[in-house]
Amino acid sequence: MRVGYMRINAEGVTEQVLHSEHASREEAHTAAVALADSLVGTADIVEVQRGYANGETTFHPRVIYNVPPTDAQRNPS
Amino acid sequence: MAIFRGIGGSGDSSDNSYLQEVTAQANAAQTSAETAFSHALLAAEASSSILNLTAATGAAGTDASYDASTGVLTIPRGDTGVVNTASVSAAGAALLTGADFTGDVTTGSKLIAKKYPVSSELLTTSRSVQDLADWSVYLLSSNYDPTPEKYRDSLDVNQDNRFSSADAAAIFSFVVANYTAEEQTTYTNLVNNPNNNTSTFVQDVLDGDYDTDFVIIDKDASSLLTVNGDTDVTGNITVSGTVDGVDIATRDGVLTSTTTTADNALPKAGGQMTGNITFSGTQTVDGRDVSVDGAKLDTLERTVRSRFQKRAYSNTSPLVALTTTYQQIGNSLRINSGATTAVENVLDLNIAANFFDVNSTNDAVFLVTVDAPSPASETTVNLGTVTVTTVGSEKYFTVTGDFTKHFSPYCGMSTNSDGSNAFNFNNNDGWYYDPTTNLTTVFHYPYQANNPTTGDTVYLHPFDWETAGTEINGDTYTLEAYNAHGTVHQNQFHQIYLGYYKPERTFKIKAREIATSDNVSISRVSGTYSQIIGS
């Protein structure tokens, strides 16, 4: 499962950036939360995503995390 | 010694008193002599004996005596002439205090009883004297207790073949004492009919041979009593046989059972059953085999719908002004169809957007998120053993059976039933079912880890085994317009399949702009959320 984020590029268009790849969704979730926390204060960051690969560097975002993540996103259920 | 001088002789006063005494003695002697003479005369007349005393009376004794002072000779009757109660009874005579006669008693005149017998003395087995008496006197007397038993025993209808007026009065007294007012009326009506006011009527009844137009009593007929007309009975009727050939006691049991059955039966007019109705075979209701129809009904789908809407003040005013970050449009939605198993969940969505003039392409996207439940609360579907085929850059596998209802943007697949090593399945790929081969074909991204190989067993979970509460994104739908002069309004209608899972999952509609140059707002979201049960 892949983890990445959406950012606004120089043209003002949102684009997906692949950050990491993980063997399980649990690992991916942990990485996504950590990434969202790390991106706090970074300009042009829209959100953090995780999902399954659908291209060499792209993935279909199954789950979205705010920056910083909400409590529900951080600890679902 | 006194000197006898005779009547008219001379002497003093004492001489006179002696004379009177002698005179008296002479008179007494004369009387005794005359008596003795008469007895002797009688004896002489009766026998040649000198003295024969056969008419013996007086006191008992054996020795004769002579009273010199009176000149009376007394001869007793002898010592066997005693008269007392024992000697009279022994001789067979009746006493005034009472007697038991062993033979007939015949009188030359009336036999009058001066004492009424008390009830305890009446109508016993020894009652012949009472039968001779006028029984009505006893019936009407205060000493008599006119019970039915005594009345029957005392009535002799054969005596004169007709009741006397005294008899009638006694009978009426008896009726008054023993019967109700209605029965007294019946009796009065009866005796007022001269044809019946005779003992013949009673005797006929007793003889079992009575016949009128309405009542027939015939002891020799097959039916002892025949009544031609209505019969009212106030008391109970007890029979030891049957009525019209029916044993009433037995019939009563049958009727009780029948009543119980009838009370529990459903009337033709309809009613409320409290139990189940079952058939032993293929019986029908109005020509329909309910069991067969029910089996068909079980397979029929039904749909439960819920409608929703969220709109702005007007079509031109924004409900939500979009940014490049996803925002929820409208409320969080859910419905519960009441089903306890998985159902098909379908969203018919109408979304209205306003594209404000940017003099360029103006884009946005929306999607629908669904909150995942606990993975264990949903059913993991075993798709079976797969056959994998690779054609160029495409990779797909086939499984036997139709699983297409399970595929959605929210589901996940894995070769492990716990969801580990899941592989990608998303809207870039596809699936279909071929009924001719009964195979479901599933396309998946070929360049990823964990792809299944032929022979693997593939499992599917409607929410990709995600942790409960995780919002899972569905497919993204584009909202796009080109603005050259003014605002563009756009209405889009989508039918979005959310997947096959149990009811009550929450879903949300979210949208965002693609670029910072876009200027899009959502003015309304509305639609129908449907759950298809039985599919």
Side-chain angles (χ1 to χ4, degrees), chain B residues 153-492:
Chain B
D153 287 345
S154 64
L155 179 64
D156 186 352
V157 296
N158 286 323
Q159 288 244 326
D160 56 3
N161 208 32
R162 181 178 292 272
F163 293 135
S164 66
S165 58
D167 291 343
I171 293 172
F172 185 76
S173 175
F174 168 79
V175 171
V176 170
N178 290 280
Y179 293 95
T180 65
E182 283 188 9
E183 292 164 338
Q184 292 170 26
T185 301
T186 301
Y187 164 77
T188 303
N189 293 336
L190 181 64
V191 298
N192 286 339
N193 183 342
N195 292 330
N196 293 331
N197 194 16
T198 66
S199 59
T200 302
F201 158 71
V202 178
Q203 189 60 56
D204 287 347
V205 172
L206 296 176
D207 291 343
D209 185 17
Y210 176 76
D211 190 352
T212 67
D213 289 341
F214 303 103
V215 178
I216 301 172
I217 298 174
D218 187 350
K219 64 180 175 54
D220 298 322
S222 59
S223 177
L224 173 63
L225 174 64
T226 301
V227 179
N228 295 317
D230 296 339
T231 303
D232 295 329
V233 178
T234 302
N236 298 325
I237 296 176
T238 303
V239 296
S240 59
T242 63
V243 176
D244 273 349
V246 176
D247 187 316
I248 297 301
T250 302
R251 180 63 55 87
D252 181 53
V254 174
L255 288 175
T256 300
S257 174
T258 303
T259 300
T260 301
T261 302
D263 287 344
N264 293 321
L266 182 66
K268 286 184 176 180
Q272 183 182 54
M273 296 293 297
T274 56
N276 297 323
I277 297 176
T278 58
F279 294 113
S280 60
T282 57
Q283 293 82 4
T284 63
V285 176
D286 269 350
R288 302 298 306 180
D289 188 320
V290 176
S291 180
V292 172
D293 289 353
K296 292 178 181 176
L297 288 173
D298 289 341
T299 63
L300 291 181
E301 294 180 356
R302 64 183 180 92
T303 302
V304 177
R305 298 181 180 86
S306 181
R307 293 171 176 80
F308 64 93
Q309 175 174 284
K310 186 77 172 183
R311 55 169 291 178
Y313 176 73
S314 70
N315 286 337
T316 56
S317 59
L319 178 63
V320 175
L322 299 183
T323 66
T324 53
T325 301
Y326 276 115
Q327 297 178 76
Q328 183 173 341
I329 312 299
N331 302 105
S332 299
L333 303 169
R334 63 164 60 182
I335 63 171
N336 183 1
S337 62
T340 56
T341 57
V343 297
E344 292 186 29
N345 294 268
V346 180
L347 174 62
D348 290 299
L349 177 64
N350 169 214
I351 184 168
N354 298 319
F355 298 84
F356 298 106
D357 189 4
V358 295
N359 195 26
S360 181
T361 300
N362 208 353
D363 298 329
V365 293
F366 77 89
L367 53 77
V368 178
T369 68
V370 180
D371 290 353
S374 169
S377 67
E378 292 287 344
T379 302
T380 296
V381 181
N382 184 343
L383 300 182
T385 303
V386 302
T387 301
V388 177
T389 302
T390 302
V391 179
S393 61
E394 281 191 337
K395 185 183 284 284
Y396 61 88
F397 67 81
T398 56
V399 291
T400 300
D402 183 0
F403 294 97
T404 53
K405 68 182 179 185
H406 295 285
F407 296 111
S408 76
Y410 310 94
C411 77
M413 286 188 289
S414 172
T415 53
N416 299 308
S417 61
D418 61 1
S420 59
N421 299 324
F423 57 90
N424 181 26
F425 174 80
N426 57 52
N427 58 327
N428 290 336
D429 304 307
W431 68 91
Y432 67 91
Y433 170 70
D434 185 349
T436 60
T437 59
N438 190 31
L439 293 175
T440 296
T441 301
V442 182
F443 294 88
H444 51 99
Y445 181 59
Y447 308 108
Q448 65 175 325
N450 304 324
N451 270 328
T453 59
T454 297
D456 285 345
T457 298
V458 173
Y459 300 91
L460 180 149
H461 190 277
F463 296 102
D464 195 22
W465 294 276
E466 286 285 356
T467 304
T470 302
E471 283 186 11
I472 304 176
N473 290 353
D475 292 339
T476 56
Y477 297 85
T478 301
L479 299 169
E480 183 177 32
Y482 184 86
N483 294 92
H485 302 285
T487 301
V488 173
H489 304 287
Q490 191 176 85
N491 247 331
Q492 290 191 8

Side-chain angles (χ1 to χ4, degrees), chain A residues 12 14 50 52-54 62 77, chain B residues 411 424 428 464 468 473 514 516:
Chain A
T14 54
R50 69 174 170 91
Y52 292 104
N54 60 2
R62 272 292 176 89
S77 77
Chain B
C411 77
N424 181 26
N428 290 336
D464 195 22
N473 290 353
I514 299 297
T516 56

Side-chain angles (χ1 to χ4, degrees), chain A residues 1 5 7 9-11 16 19-20 22 27 30-33 36 41 43-44 50 53-54 60 62-64 68 76-77:
Chain A
M1 182 167 269
Y5 56 90
R7 71 175 182 182
N9 64 19
E11 289 76 35
Q16 186 183 59
H19 176 266
S20 58
H22 305 274
E27 283 183 13
T30 303
V33 170
D44 299 328
R50 69 174 170 91
N54 60 2
H60 177 70
R62 272 292 176 89
V63 181
I64 293 174
S77 77

